[in-house]
């Protein structure tokens, strides 16, 4: 059986109407605490000089460390003092409407489970390391904290307009896999990259993927892959610019992209602000499957 379809130990935990569960922090085993410490120490090292300033500063402000699996309530008390966000435990992916409602109310749903040893380097589901090491630091940066609340509200609206797939792409290429221009180079803010040692290096330094300037409509039309590195990364100039671009009425944006063809994940399109045209050598060699 494919290990990633195994249910994690919180799968049957009693849950509230909003899908939150009890993190039951006392039930983490010594092995699970040790796994967090090894994931943290390794990724903290790789992230130096590669993660954006805001994320690195927040990691210390939030006292994220290699001292066992974080206690979400205690972490939330620190985060809430900075931007009003809290981190709430869930068992696994929650329905979109529940997810958006949490974000719209400054609650980030984080998986309570930690990946099994067999998936130490890569897993598709968001475990506690992906969510807390990857997403939580950015929630301590006020402009990004505002963006995430706006995304939650936008998501609720997108569902009523049947435009969720467009908005999910925007989330994917920013919140999960976004790059930012910083310190004369490119840095990472996307959680899916920051929580993966291999993709942290690949996204910034490998010749394979495209790197293209951010454009809302372009992102909404671009397909993505969920089981390997990205074939294109989009680059923002600042978090303020990202928030600015997304504070427009998406209703008009949706109608402008409606009916226009999608872009393939590896495509470079007419009008793109190309920062790096990828060789796609990694994907031509079969990607993760070929590794
Ligand atoms: N649920 N727990 C959790 N975490 C996510 O990141 C998440 C989710 N549900 C839906 C979802 N993400 C995405 O499909 C949203 O972009 C809609
Ligand atoms: Fe995520």
């Amino acid at each position: 059986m494919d290990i990633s379809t195994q249910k994690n130990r919180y799968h049957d935990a009693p849950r509230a109407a909003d899908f939150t569960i009890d993190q039951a922090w006392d039930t983490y085993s010594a092995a699970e605490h040790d796994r967090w410490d090894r994931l943290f120490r390794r990724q903290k090292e790789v992230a130096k000089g590669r993660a954006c300033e805001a994320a690195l500063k927040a990691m210390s402000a939030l006292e994220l460390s290699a001292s066992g699996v974080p206690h979400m309530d205690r972490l939330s008390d620190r985060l809430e003092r900075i931007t009003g966000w809290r981190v709430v435990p869930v068992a696994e992916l929650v329905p979109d409407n529940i997810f958006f409602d949490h974000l719209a109310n400054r609650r980030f749903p984080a998986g309570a489970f930690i990946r099994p040893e067999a998936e130490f380097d890569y897993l598709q589901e968001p475990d506690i390391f992906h969510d807390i090491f990857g997403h939580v630091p950015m929630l301590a940066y006020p402009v990004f904290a505002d963006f995430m609340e706006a995304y939650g509200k936008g998501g609720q609206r997108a569902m009523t307009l049947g435009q969720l797939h467009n908005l999910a792409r925007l989330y994917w290429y920013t919140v999960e896999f976004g790059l930012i221009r910083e310190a004369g180079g490119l840095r990472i803010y996307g959680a899916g990259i920051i929580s993966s040692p291999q993709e942290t290096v690949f996204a910034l330094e490998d010749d394979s993927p495209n790197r293209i300037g951010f454009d809302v409509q372009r992102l909404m039309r671009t397909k993505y892959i969920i089981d390997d590195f990205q074939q294109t990364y989009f680059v923002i100039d600042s978090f303020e610019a990202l928030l600015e671009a997304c504070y427009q009425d998406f209703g008009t944006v949706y109608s402008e992209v409606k009916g226009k063809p999608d872009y393939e994940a590896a495509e470079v399109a007419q009008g793109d602000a190309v920062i790096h045209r990828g060789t796609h050598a990694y994907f031509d060699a079969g990607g993760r499957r070929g590794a």
Side-chain angles (χ1 to χ4, degrees), residues 132-249:
I132 290 188
F133 190 94
H135 283 286
V136 168
M138 286 311 304
L139 294 173
Y141 189 77
V143 169
F144 199 82
D146 292 348
F147 170 74
M148 286 295 278
E149 178 187 344
Y151 178 82
K153 290 177 175 152
Q156 292 169 318
R157 183 147 176 263
M159 291 186 80
T160 61
L161 300 171
Q163 301 290 342
L164 185 52
H165 63 291
N166 289 331
L167 202 73
R169 287 168 170 174
L170 176 66
Y171 185 88
W172 191 265
Y173 281 117
T174 53
V175 179
E176 292 296 354
F177 291 95
L179 301 180
I180 183 169
R181 274 197 180 84
E182 192 174 272
L186 298 183
R187 293 289 183 276
I188 299 163
Y189 70 94
I193 312 176
I194 281 195
S195 57
S196 155
Q198 297 84 3
E199 194 152 9
T200 294
V201 175
F202 179 83
L204 289 184
E205 297 160 24
D206 200 292
D207 280 342
S208 197
N210 302 317
R211 294 178 189 94
I212 295 173
F214 169 88
D215 172 275
V216 180
Q217 294 198 27
R218 173 65 159 93
L219 264 66
M220 285 191 172
R221 293 170 57 190
T222 306
K223 292 177 183 171
Y224 57 84
I225 44 184
I226 62 165
D227 59 355
D228 206 336
F229 298 157
Q230 296 311 305
Q231 301 187 333
T232 296
Y233 296 97
F234 289 95
V235 181
I236 60 174
D237 289 326
S238 69
F239 296 114
E240 290 71 13
L242 174 63
L243 186 64
E244 178 64 34
C246 296
Y247 254 3
Q248 57 181 306
D249 166 26

Side-chain angles (χ1 to χ4, degrees), residues 90 92-94 96 99-100 151 171:
V90 293
E92 52 224 345
L93 289 180
V94 301
D96 292 339
F99 183 65
F100 290 128
Y151 178 82
Y171 185 88

Side-chain angles (χ1 to χ4, degrees), residues 58-71:
M59 283 177 200
S60 25
L62 294 171
E63 300 169 32
L64 289 185
S65 64
S67 52
V69 177
H71 189 294

Side-chain angles (χ1 to χ4, degrees), residues 269-286:
Q270 190 72 25
D272 277 347
V274 179
I275 295 161
H276 171 76
R277 184 183 290 271
T279 64
H280 299 294
Y282 169 77
F283 305 101
D284 293 346

